[in-house]
Amino acid sequence: MKHLHKPRLDVKTFKEGILSGDRSVLGQAITLIESNLNSDKVLATGLLEKILPHTGNALRIGITGAPGVGKSTFIESFGKIIIGHGKKLAVLTIDPSSLATKGSILGDKTRMEELSKNSMAYIRPSASYNALGGVAFKTREAMLLCEAAGYEVVIIETVGVGQSEVSVKGMVDFFLLLMLAGAGDDLQGIKKGITEMADALIITKADGENIKHATAAQATYQHAFHLLSKTESEWQPVVLTSSATTGAGMVDVWKMILKYQHETKSSGFFQRNRALQNIIWFREFFMQLLNADIHKFQSLQKFQKELEGSVANQTVSAETAARELLSAYHQSIKGIKS
Ligand code: GDP
């Protein structure tokens, strides 16, 4: 791990570098928050605390879709539209495949080549972390760092093959699902849950011969969306077509997202959603800390294993086991205090 050899900056230098938009410092800060070293975690927490007042100003967009649907090509093309409107863009990717295999569905090829050369864009591919929950935490923190560094739009890209899209939905303002025409007739093959999470569905590769299929699919999906009840945002999900090859439809996607932003800010949903996301974030963080705290006691770990054995063979109910573990935890804490 190369970064281990590089001395860390101090919080003040990190903060100043990030706030002045220094990409190298931003990159080092993201590496810092991704680190599992305890000393790095302390530094990262201090840094996040300091930059917090400078976060929250970006429009946060989640993009998901099956491998090969054209996500990275879409972001390359769509990103240029965003930059063309004078907005600085950060792209963060979560690749769940890297968790288990350290391999990558997103591929080792240089993705978003043009965008990555543009000084208005900052692309950060996913590192492989050891837990999906961890990825979500770290991606969210990376997003906050990008916001503090002045990026006005943050795209979080994930492959729609696991739980990662649920995590992404919980950290963005707008969630885009990319699909291919004909990939699932009459919504077959799409996970219903993902469709219900989407604020918009984009039929990709709508060029050449594929245009007519894409347009037909658009009508089918739009009809299906109308059958779904409206969500709390009062936003009726939109279905659009796009081609990264010709650039067709990209401006419409951007206009739609701005319309969403305008409408939900006017209704107050945008702010409410962010506040709720923060609260959920806090609760999840607390549960994580609690879990880590429990694991500090070796005797509890052993007890937990025993309980798991009893729960597995149904000699103890899950609820009773949980209560026993909790009371053993309380005892352990008391033991430290006295
Ligand atoms: P990802 O795995 O979802 O990120 O998909 P990629 O962006 O890597 O694209 C998968 C393949 O589809 C590549 O060979 C692209 O060249 C191709 N592709 C992506 N977008 C388009 C498009 O708009 N039109 C056409 N015809 N091909 C595309």
Side-chain angles (χ1 to χ4, degrees), residues 60-65 92-96 132 135-137 139-140 143 154-160 162-176 197 199 273 277 281 284:
R60 304 165 175 176
I61 303 170
I63 295 186
T64 192
L92 305 171
T93 59
I94 299 179
D95 181 355
L132 190 54
V135 174
F137 279 98
T139 303
R140 194 177 152 114
M143 174 175 80
V154 179
I155 289 180
I156 300 176
E157 176 201 2
T158 186
V159 181
Q163 281 299 303
S164 61
E165 59 269 6
V166 179
S167 307
V168 173
K169 169 78 179 170
M171 63 179 99
V172 298
D173 305 312
F174 194 91
F175 194 62
L176 269 178
M197 284 182 344
D199 298 304
N273 187 44
Q277 287 177 341
W281 192 244
E284 286 178 358

Side-chain angles (χ1 to χ4, degrees), residues 89 92 103 118 123 134 140 144 203 215 266 303 318:
L89 168 70
L92 305 171
N118 193 308
I123 318 274
R140 194 177 152 114
L144 298 178
I203 316 284
T215 313
S266 306
F303 186 44

